[in-house]
Amino acid sequence: MLEAQLRKKRNITDISGEDFTLYLRSERGVIRLLPVMENVLRVSYSETGDFENPASCFARDVADHLHPPVYRGSFRHHTQDGKLILGLPGLKAEVNLSTGSVCYFGTGDEPIAKEADFESKVVDPFESFIAVEDDSALVEELQTADGVKRRILSAARESRGILCHTRLSLEFAEEEVLFGLGQSPEGCWNLRGTTQYLHQANLKSPIPILLSDRGYGIFLSSQSTCIFEDSEKGGCLETHADPFLDYYFIAGGVREVVAAMRTMSGKASMLPRWAFGYIQSQERYESQQEILDTAKKFRELDFPVSAIVQDWLSWPEGLWGQKSFDATRYPEPKAMIEELHRQGIHFVISIWPNMGEGGSNFREFRKNGAFLPNSHLYNALSPEGRALYWKQVSEGLFSKGVDGWWGDSCEPVTPEWEHVNVMGPAFVYHEFVEAASKILPEEKLNVFCAYHSRTLYEGQRAENADKRVFNLTRSGFPGSQAMGAVVWSGDISASWDTLRRQVSAGLSFVTTGMPYWNLDIGAFFVKRGEPWYWNGDYDEPVGDPDYLELYLRWFQYGMYLPVMRAHGTDLRREPWNLARPGSEEYEILKSTARMRYRLQPYIYSLAGAVWLRDELIMRPLLYDFPKDRVAPGIGDQFMFGPSIMVCPVTEPERVSGGRKTVYLPAGCDWFDLHTHRKYHGGCHVTVELTREYIPAFVPTGAILPMDEDGTLTILAFKGRKGSFLFYEDAGDGYGYEDGDYALTEITYDGEELLSFRVLHTYEGARDIRSASTARFIDGTFR
């Protein structure tokens, strides 16, 4: 008969502390409790009691200039009735001394979150290996839509010691709404009853932060891949490889979780002002002359544009990823960019982390041993690799006047892109782990993208602090927001279903604290081809009225995103190639783009609040209406700052019948942004659709600064008192960090009186009161 080896017990037998840290010891392991902020508690669990492993560093090690908060405020703790009770000003935690499980409270008496009663914190040790440079490594090269990829089939490995698979088990309330965890193509807003695989991919950008409508967030400090699962067995968060289980519990709504995330991983940096205009991209511009001709036509047609993006293959033929221009097709890149600047247009260029053999960039990296093992990807985790990469970027591109970067393909492996047919999410997850583990430490499988952002941010700032970093990237991670990263949703395919899913996918991403998200307006792939990802619904998109209708709705939705950018393949994406100038559809595109520029004072003020007050531009309804009972479940509408609610149209007219039902949150009445018709809040309403714009609503009391033919006009919507923080700075450079910005509080009495109070100013700032005019908006109820 087999003899059972009894499990070690989890009841707490000893509690000790030093400074603001408590250690709870059981036979099984050690729990560490560490207050981080007034509403944030760090919880760690190790079977060895070793919490000093250098691999345990949080996302902040992505950027050495960031420093974790040190809490020295009120922290009370005592034992009572078999529990250890800890108190912070904004959070209370009760630890069951029989099990080690934690129950959390906000500032009220009802619990807001609870670990599972049984074995809530689990670590499973394993020996971790990493590949080493191996001349005999077996490598296969594959041609994909992402370029030539190297698949490492086998290579020598060496041990890196013991890491752990970890699991945090949780109990969720029956009606609880869960959201966050970054962006995935499924676009699932409420994550209840789902499994989410958090790994980098072309169409995914995982952020290990889970939020709840009960008023909390859980921030896993893991930089490895993770899995979230909610099933009939309960809920859990698992990580692939960490020295111990480690998470931050944040008490508060979305606003408080975002603020805490930024405090722990870095304040979001300001983007240059031009980044908030319309950005034109295309797969791909093929020459200097084509770019100049495109810019000229924008200006001739008086269609507003702020930047043009050069996609891949600007490098010399056959030298993939070389950070220099092809001399034949781009004979004078500096003169080209200077001409664009003369026309008020900025230039963004695609750069890649991998390099093809034969180029000077490749040879220099190989000579310096600065590639990841057996790979043509540069080692972004290494200071030497980052320095060399920026040196090449600077010499070949930045010195020519480039304004922004398109940091493409920085997952940095996409094995799912190597299949002809789509594979299931579990298969794709494990394939990513296997492929990425061959070139990266297992505890850092998800953060190559953040180190790549660090390369560009630190390199550019050190060389020229007068030009803000703009880095359009397909992958992000906590910390990226502090380094000029703007994440886009990958190479999506054109369909009404994709558009619908992208709305909630974007919301899921930004609620984790990452403020700058965008997508390829109109989708990257439009036709349906091979392989699986070429999955659009329109084999003949040019002249197809259904695709044009889809594009118009996508363009109108994109106008309300933090960054507005059109891009794709299969057909040209300049507005005049989608609709004939002078046609109704073209005029809709033009008026939509112009609306983006009319909203510039408002949008730039929202960007200022992102930096200054840790806010979001695009945000779910419960961000601004936390007491509304319906708002938590809505993922297909969003607030664009505090003054505009956006309701994207995600069905063709033949399906919708030209009508859309939207929800207007309680606590105020609402104006239609365009017609000024009024509606009562706290109910669903059905509105008639027009082709000219998508439904957008403004709450009573809202203040909306706009540019009306060069005049700053303050729109105030009657019916309630309100306020708005108007922000201005130089529009570029980092002087704002040293106080070179102006902040004016505009308050509204609800009728016809605006008041202005300067909260901060700098030399050369304009006086908003004297520089603006006011319009007071009223309307009649529907």
Side-chain angles (χ1 to χ4, degrees):
M1 182 178 291
L2 295 174
E3 183 176 350
Q5 182 178 350
L6 299 181
R7 293 186 193 180
K8 293 181 180 180
K9 296 179 180 179
R10 292 177 174 269
N11 60 296
I12 306 301
T13 57
D14 178 71
I15 301 174
S16 61
E18 53 186 43
D19 296 328
F20 280 74
T21 307
L22 292 178
Y23 296 92
L24 285 61
R25 291 177 172 83
S26 68
E27 185 182 22
R28 186 74 181 191
V30 182
I31 302 170
R32 181 182 66 176
L33 303 173
L34 175 67
V36 178
M37 297 169 60
E38 289 189 348
N39 63 328
V40 181
L41 183 68
R42 184 179 186 181
V43 180
S44 312
Y45 175 73
S46 167
E47 290 190 345
T48 65
D50 178 13
F51 297 104
E52 303 305 320
N53 189 318
S56 70
C57 46
F58 182 49
R60 286 182 165 274
D61 76 344
V62 169
D64 293 339
H65 67 280
L66 304 174
H67 304 285
V70 177
Y71 180 74
R72 288 295 181 264
S74 172
F75 179 48
R76 305 178 307 279
H77 52 86
H78 66 278
T79 58
Q80 179 182 326
D81 299 331
K83 299 175 183 177
L84 172 66
I85 301 174
L86 304 91
L88 292 165
L91 166 65
K92 184 178 79 171
E94 294 183 353
V95 183
N96 186 324
L97 297 179
S98 297
T99 63
S101 295
V102 188
C103 183
Y104 295 98
F105 301 76
T107 55
D109 296 329
E110 294 297 318
I112 56 175
K114 188 177 185 296
E115 292 182 351
D117 288 331
F118 180 70
E119 296 187 347
S120 59
K121 294 176 283 291
V122 172
V123 293
D124 185 24
F126 70 97
E127 186 173 9
S128 178
F129 293 84
I130 191 170
V132 295
E133 190 65 31
D134 180 5
D135 292 338
S136 61
L138 186 59
V139 178
E140 179 183 19
E141 291 194 346
L142 302 168
Q143 180 66 51
T144 75
D146 268 348
V148 176
K149 299 288 187 178
R150 287 171 61 88
R151 177 193 291 167
I152 301 172
L153 302 178
S154 64
R157 304 187 306 162
E158 64 181 20
S159 175
R160 298 189 66 251
I162 301 299
L163 290 172
C164 297
H165 307 303
T166 80
R167 186 178 74 243
L168 171 67
S169 296
L170 301 156
E171 291 184 7
F172 301 125
E174 184 176 353
E175 301 298 325
E176 187 170 357
V177 177
L178 300 173
F179 48 95
L181 296 182
Q183 166 232 303
S184 66
E186 296 80 15
C188 180
W189 170 247
N190 186 354
L191 302 175
R192 295 304 304 273
T194 72
T195 299
Q196 302 294 319
Y197 296 92
L198 277 65
H199 65 91
Q200 302 289 355
N202 183 297
L203 298 172
K204 293 170 71 79
S205 190
I207 306 295
I209 301 178
L210 178 70
L211 296 92
S212 167
D213 70 328
R214 290 173 63 85
Y216 69 86
I218 293 175
F219 192 166
L220 291 176
S221 67
S222 178
Q223 298 182 6
S224 190
T225 56
C226 311
I227 298 174
F228 162 82
E229 183 178 9
D230 179 38
S231 68
E232 66 278 359
K233 297 179 181 179
C236 71
L237 288 160
E238 298 179 347
T239 75
H240 171 68
D242 285 294
F244 51 85
L245 189 155
D246 197 31
Y247 74 93
Y248 295 77
F249 186 89
I250 307 167
V254 180
R255 192 180 295 268
E256 290 75 26
V257 172
V258 167
M261 175 270 191
R262 303 262 182 87
T263 299
M264 291 188 284
S265 64
K267 291 185 75 67
S269 59
M270 285 290 292
L271 301 180
R273 193 192 309 272
W274 60 260
F276 299 102
Y278 172 58
I279 299 175
Q280 180 67 61
S281 187
Q282 161 70 35
E283 194 285 302
R284 61 184 167 79
Y285 295 112
E286 299 186 14
S287 70
Q288 171 178 316
Q289 191 59 49
E290 184 181 12
I291 290 172
L292 291 174
D293 289 345
T294 300
K296 181 181 178 182
K297 189 153 188 176
F298 267 108
R299 292 307 182 225
E300 287 176 347
L301 293 173
D302 195 26
F303 195 107
V305 67
S306 292
I308 291 177
V309 182
Q310 170 67 61
D311 200 356
W312 64 300
L313 211 61
S314 57
W315 47 75
E317 188 71 32
L319 300 181
W320 190 282
Q322 172 81 11
K323 293 173 281 297
S324 60
F325 288 93
D326 179 88
T328 302
R329 293 178 292 118
Y330 303 86
E332 298 180 272
K334 188 171 184 178
M336 174 189 74
I337 296 172
E338 287 174 350
E339 173 58 24
L340 292 176
H341 288 172
R342 189 189 67 79
Q343 298 181 49
I345 299 173
H346 295 77
F347 183 72
V348 179
I349 193 168
S350 171
I351 55 176
W352 293 61
N354 56 313
M355 289 156 249
E357 294 188 35
S360 59
N361 284 181
F362 178 88
R363 292 193 299 270
E364 190 173 19
F365 262 88
R366 171 160 283 182
K367 177 182 177 182
N368 285 275
F371 284 122
L372 290 169
N374 310 301
S375 169
H376 293 173
L377 289 155
Y378 88 104
N379 188 355
L381 278 61
S382 154
E384 295 77 17
R386 293 194 296 273
L388 181 55
Y389 190 93
W390 175 256
K391 169 181 171 291
Q392 294 178 350
V393 168
S394 176
E395 292 174 349
L397 301 173
F398 194 55
S399 63
K400 305 300 188 291
V402 170
D403 298 298
W405 314 107
W406 185 345
D408 211 341
S409 196
C410 58
E411 289 82 11
V413 297
T414 52
E416 80 281 6
W417 231 240
E418 299 166 8
H419 295 282
V420 174
N421 298 304
V422 64
M423 308 302 290
F427 180 92
V428 171
Y429 171 84
H430 292 292
E431 193 175 38
F432 174 86
V433 169
E434 180 183 7
S437 296
K438 291 177 179 176
I439 57 173
L440 295 168
E442 288 189 87
E443 72 275 16
K444 289 184 175 291
L445 299 183
N446 264 346
V447 292
F448 180 93
C449 58
Y451 282 98
H452 187 49
S453 291
R454 180 179 177 182
T455 298
L456 302 174
Y457 181 77
E458 293 186 345
Q460 181 175 316
R461 282 208 64 169
E463 185 166 333
N464 183 356
D466 293 330
K467 182 178 282 191
R468 293 177 191 166
V469 176
F470 175 87
N471 173 25
L472 184 65
T473 174
R474 204 163 59 195
S475 303
F477 200 78
S480 299
Q481 78 280 354
M483 297 179 282
V486 178
V487 176
W488 101 94
S489 62
D491 297 336
I492 53 179
S493 293
S495 70
W496 288 96
D497 184 62
T498 298
L499 173 57
R500 177 181 62 82
R501 293 176 185 274
Q502 287 288 290
V503 177
S504 50
L507 278 179
S508 297
F509 184 78
V510 297
T511 53
T512 63
M514 306 289 288
Y516 294 116
W517 180 87
N518 74 125
L519 44 62
D520 294 347
I521 291 175
F524 184 75
F525 297 114
V526 178
K527 299 179 180 180
R528 180 157 298 174
E530 300 282 3
W532 64 270
Y533 46 76
W534 216 302
N535 197 39
D537 281 351
Y538 305 94
D539 288 345
E540 300 293 336
V542 178
D544 185 327
D546 188 56
Y547 179 70
L548 184 54
E549 181 187 4
L550 173 65
Y551 191 89
L552 290 176
R553 294 310 193 191
W554 220 313
F555 198 82
Q556 291 162 345
Y557 161 58
M559 192 271 286
Y560 290 111
L561 293 181
V563 171
M564 181 188 185
R565 180 185 57 89
H567 178 64
T569 191
D570 289 328
L571 79 163
R572 304 291 304 193
R573 298 307 172 90
E574 298 86 0
W576 55 86
N577 285 314
L578 289 152
R580 177 181 53 81
S583 67
E584 178 190 7
E585 293 83 2
Y586 177 83
E587 293 304 320
I588 292 172
L589 291 173
K590 191 172 186 178
S591 65
T592 302
R594 284 181 169 174
M595 182 64 172
R596 178 78 179 189
Y597 287 85
R598 291 173 63 201
L599 286 169
Q600 281 297 293
Y602 175 68
I603 296 172
Y604 200 68
S605 291
L606 299 182
V610 166
W611 165 68
L612 192 61
R613 298 164 59 87
D614 295 322
E615 294 193 4
L616 295 174
I617 297 177
M618 176 188 188
R619 55 232 216 172
L621 300 190
L622 77 165
Y623 185 95
D624 291 279
F625 301 93
K627 296 181 180 180
D628 188 291
R629 294 184 177 183
V630 178
I634 295 180
D636 58 356
Q637 300 172 205
F638 61 93
M639 297 299 295
F640 187 59
S643 301
I644 302 176
M645 182 177 68
V646 183
C647 307
V649 175
T650 57
E651 290 180 330
E653 186 176 4
R654 68 176 187 276
V655 175
S656 70
R659 296 162 69 87
K660 181 177 178 64
T661 299
V662 303
Y663 178 70
L664 304 176
C668 62
D669 293 326
W670 294 82
F671 287 87
D672 183 303
L673 173 62
H674 299 280
T675 68
H676 300 164
R677 178 178 293 175
K678 290 181 72 173
Y679 299 83
H680 293 294
C683 60
H684 287 85
V685 298
T686 299
V687 296
E688 299 290 334
L689 297 176
T690 173
R691 299 188 76 191
E692 282 71 22
Y693 48 80
I694 58 177
F697 297 87
V698 180
T700 51
I703 296 171
L704 189 60
M706 298 186 70
D707 183 338
E708 301 288 12
D709 298 321
T711 299
L712 176 61
T713 303
I714 311 295
L715 274 60
F717 292 78
K718 291 186 175 184
R720 194 172 56 137
K721 293 181 179 179
S723 65
F724 185 80
L725 291 176
F726 186 88
Y727 176 91
E728 286 189 314
D729 61 21
D732 213 342
Y734 291 91
Y736 68 90
E737 294 179 343
D738 298 320
D740 289 346
Y741 67 90
L743 190 67
T744 303
E745 182 183 38
I746 307 172
T747 56
Y748 175 44
D749 72 346
E751 293 297 331
E752 294 197 3
L753 179 64
L754 290 177
S755 301
F756 298 81
R757 184 164 68 101
V758 177
L759 303 179
H760 186 90
T761 191
Y762 70 106
E763 186 176 352
R766 60 176 172 169
D767 177 66
I768 302 305
R769 182 200 301 269
S770 60
S772 64
T773 62
R775 284 176 53 201
F776 300 97
I777 308 299
D778 203 352
T780 57
F781 279 100
R782 175 177 176 270

